[in-house]
Amino acid sequence: MAKLWGGRFRKPTDKRVDDFNSSIRFDKRMYKQDIRGSIAHATMLGRQGIIPQADADAIVAGLKEIMSDIDAGRVEFLIDAEDIHMNIEKLLTDRIGDAGKRLHTGRSRNDQVALDIRMYLMDEIAEIEEMLIETMDTFVELAKQHTDTIMPGYTHLQKAQPITFAHHCMAYYEMFRRDFSRLAECRQRTNVMPLGSGALAGTTYPLDREFVAKMLGFDGVTMNSLDGVSDRDFVIELAGCLSLVMMHASRFSEELILWSSNEFGFVEMDDAYSTGSSIMPQKKNPDVAELIRGKTGRVYGSLIGLLTVMKGTPLAYNKDMQEDKEQIFDSVDTVKLCLPVFCDMIRTMKVNKSAMRKGANGGFTNATDAADYLVKKGLPFRDAHAVIGNMVFYCIEHDKAITDLTMDELRSFSALIEEDIYEAVSMETCVNDRAVIGGPAKAMTEKAIKKAEAYLNSIEK
Ligand code: ARG
């Protein structure tokens, strides 16, 4: 096949180079954006009198036909037409002749690909935002059912202080809420229209860039032609946003993997979200959670890959930048694959309240509260810390919890201790007295849930 840029060449491209250079295999997924962009560009060329109106009309009609043919699977793309941009231009010219050859007036593939990838990613971001809303919803719904479900909170994976499962769920709500707003900001920076940057130095034709931007639904146009074709910040930024989404999903997945172990028993994955072993009949493995944790690695990989592709590229466009697509597509695909399963896995799992409660009772999660009890009776905190430290040591030696100790035992550590200590260090008191803003007390959690519901209502479309 003759190349669209073949005039300057006297030899055909080596077959291997055609394969090597070609990106159609992966950039064909941007065909809709490419065609929408070309329709806007041609419409503008006609309006500005840069090409005859009849040609602009023929181009638009031809492109619409090509769009429905691709939609219907009736088009076969050609490796030696290199990429989606030239494949479509060639299809158009084959169909409508000379008018098709006018489409690329005042445009370069460099600004064309920058346009396509921006449009494509904006569409994907919108879909992922929807999935994040569902994810936030999932955690809020779960939290609503568990404002009384006391569980141990951990630091260093050592039991620390009692919280509720609702509080734990709302921590994830906060993470995904940040992810949501980060993505919205990333979408804003993606939402600028680069056509008119040309190959690198703009164009001599009187293009109406604002018109094209408006027709394509962009908020504005890029402000420097060199930057317009060589900026991939938005791709990297998205890869970063998606890495954080996966990090959050992965941290909860890790917790579910731990919690569904026999040692914890805090949750049980639904049969439909677990798998068995080909040899060990008793096994029920949390594969879904493990795969989400594992797939986080490939999303991080794309982020580092993209940063590395861009780090040494001089201005403006370089072919290196073709390497952005497979990586960001893979990140987007992976997140879109993971989030819905992640939500379903969470919605269907069984929460074992009594195992959580038992977990909270052990491990002296109320030791801080015991110290605080003495502080309220007048002891300085540092002294109270020491007294309760000794008490815990005694309890470990006698295999008892603080609340198992008799009044006599308790008073042997401090004469300040009275009957009311039992109530003061009960799990319910420990949780519900933590009523600062952002604390685990039931009343505070209920407020947090209300606020979250109001937020979700405000962003749901
Ligand atoms: N397939 C190319 C890419 O993805 C399109 C731009 C090619 N431009 C060029 N001057 N070779 O980056």
Side-chain angles (χ1 to χ4, degrees):
M1 180 198 111
K3 291 286 194 287
L4 292 181
W5 39 255
R8 187 227 180 278
F9 291 76
R10 293 297 168 267
K11 266 190 180 179
T13 319
D14 185 277
K15 180 79 195 71
R16 271 204 187 126
V17 173
D18 262 340
D19 290 342
F20 180 71
N21 207 30
S22 164
S23 54
I24 186 65
R25 186 166 42 82
F26 50 83
D27 64 17
K28 64 181 173 204
R29 66 158 87 188
M30 304 192 300
Y31 76 89
K32 278 193 194 332
Q33 289 76 16
D34 195 76
I35 291 175
R36 279 171 52 209
S38 288
I39 288 178
H41 181 66
T43 307
M44 180 275 296
L45 291 177
R47 272 172 55 108
Q48 297 294 96
I50 299 169
I51 64 172
Q53 188 57 48
D55 286 355
D57 294 342
I59 292 172
V60 171
L63 286 170
K64 285 184 177 161
E65 246 182 62
I66 292 171
M67 176 93 90
S68 37
D69 285 350
I70 301 177
D71 283 343
R74 285 193 292 266
V75 170
E76 224 181 283
F77 293 114
L78 304 172
I79 296 264
D80 49 355
E82 211 175 309
D83 53 27
I84 188 61
H85 325 295
M86 289 198 295
N87 264 276
I88 287 174
E89 191 181 327
K90 182 178 168 355
L91 282 166
L92 182 70
T93 309
D94 288 351
R95 291 183 185 199
I96 68 167
D98 280 354
K101 295 188 199 161
R102 297 195 201 277
L103 167 62
H104 212 50
T105 312
R107 189 177 70 172
S108 156
R109 271 186 300 152
N110 298 351
D111 57 356
Q112 190 178 357
V113 72
L115 174 77
D116 291 5
I117 188 80
R118 282 178 186 272
M119 287 171 62
Y120 181 84
L121 293 181
M122 279 161 64
D123 290 346
E124 295 286 23
I125 291 172
E127 275 187 49
I128 295 172
E129 282 176 346
E130 286 300 311
M131 291 179 175
L132 283 174
I133 293 176
E134 195 197 328
T135 310
M136 287 186 272
D137 252 325
T138 304
F139 279 104
V140 171
E141 283 309 310
L142 195 58
K144 277 164 92 174
Q145 299 163 33
H146 291 286
T147 51
D148 288 313
T149 306
I150 291 176
M151 67 177 281
Y154 295 83
T155 64
H156 313 269
L157 201 56
Q158 305 285 321
K159 282 179 192 174
Q161 290 172 341
I163 54 171
T164 63
F165 185 48
H167 193 56
H168 199 98
C169 290
M170 291 306 286
Y172 281 95
Y173 161 78
E174 291 294 333
M175 296 176 223
F176 289 110
R177 190 174 59 83
R178 287 196 296 276
D179 287 332
F180 182 83
S181 73
R182 238 187 310 269
L183 270 182
E185 279 181 27
C186 173
R187 182 154 48 85
Q188 263 177 28
R189 274 184 289 275
T190 308
N191 197 350
V192 275
M193 205 290 297
L195 281 192
S197 303
L200 75 160
T203 176
T204 55
Y205 296 101
L207 302 190
D208 186 346
R209 301 189 64 207
E210 309 271 2
F211 172 85
V212 174
K214 208 163 164 205
M215 186 166 168
L216 292 173
F218 279 93
D219 283 350
V221 298
T222 55
M223 281 301 160
N224 178 288
S225 64
L226 289 173
D227 186 48
V229 288
S230 62
D231 171 24
R232 292 294 181 275
D233 292 5
F234 59 97
V235 179
I236 296 173
E237 210 179 321
L238 177 58
C241 293
L242 298 181
S243 293
L244 286 170
V245 169
M246 289 303 293
M247 181 185 86
H248 296 144
S250 183
R251 291 184 77 177
F252 194 60
S253 295
E254 165 66 11
E255 291 183 323
L256 295 183
I257 293 162
L258 273 174
W259 292 353
S260 57
S261 70
N262 186 257
E263 285 75 6
F264 277 83
F266 287 1
V267 295
E268 189 186 338
M269 296 294 139
D270 194 75
D271 278 2
Y273 282 81
S274 318
T275 55
S277 156
S278 57
I279 172 170
M280 298 166 282
Q282 84 285 11
K283 292 279 275 182
K284 182 167 166 185
N285 295 326
D287 288 33
V288 172
E290 289 170 79
L291 259 182
I292 291 170
R293 190 177 60 182
K295 284 179 187 294
T296 303
R298 61 194 289 164
V299 175
Y300 288 7
S302 295
L303 172 62
I304 297 299
L306 286 163
L307 282 166
T308 312
V309 163
M310 291 305 292
K311 83 179 255 286
T313 50
L315 298 189
Y317 178 84
N318 303 269
K319 190 72 173 224
D320 314 42
M321 287 153 73
Q322 180 167 287
E323 288 293 308
D324 64 351
K325 284 170 212 66
E326 284 162 293
Q327 312 205 49
I328 195 64
F329 292 164
D330 188 72
S331 290
V332 163
D333 292 348
T334 303
V335 168
K336 283 169 65 180
L337 187 69
C338 287
L339 284 180
V341 211
F342 180 65
C343 292
D344 286 344
M345 169 181 72
I346 294 168
R347 276 196 287 258
T348 53
M349 74 188 184
K350 217 173 86 213
V351 176
N352 188 342
K353 295 187 189 191
S354 65
M356 286 185 172
R357 174 64 195 232
K358 231 172 113 196
N361 288 345
F364 308 101
T365 57
N366 53 0
T368 312
D369 299 79
D372 288 342
Y373 170 86
L374 291 174
V375 170
K376 280 171 203 150
K377 302 268 174 184
L379 206 61
F381 179 76
R382 201 41 71 204
D383 294 339
H385 188 290
V387 169
I388 303 301
N390 277 314
M391 188 186 287
V392 167
F393 187 83
Y394 175 89
C395 286
I396 294 169
E397 291 221 299
H398 294 84
D399 195 20
K400 285 180 170 179
I402 293 177
T403 46
D404 294 336
L405 300 181
T406 63
M407 257 338 272
D408 286 344
E409 284 177 301
L410 287 166
R411 288 180 65 86
S412 72
F413 294 97
S414 167
L416 292 171
I417 297 178
E418 293 167 88
E419 250 336 295
D420 59 351
I421 189 167
Y422 294 111
E423 173 63 26
V425 303
S426 78
M427 289 297 126
E428 280 69 20
T429 311
C430 292
V431 168
N432 289 319
D433 278 7
R434 289 184 155 68
V436 288
I437 297 174
K442 182 174 181 174
M444 293 318 293
T445 310
E446 280 170 347
K447 271 192 192 164
I449 291 172
K450 284 243 148 56
K451 220 171 147 187
E453 286 180 321
Y455 177 70
L456 286 171
N457 276 330
S458 77
I459 58 174
E460 256 154 41
K461 282 154 202 157

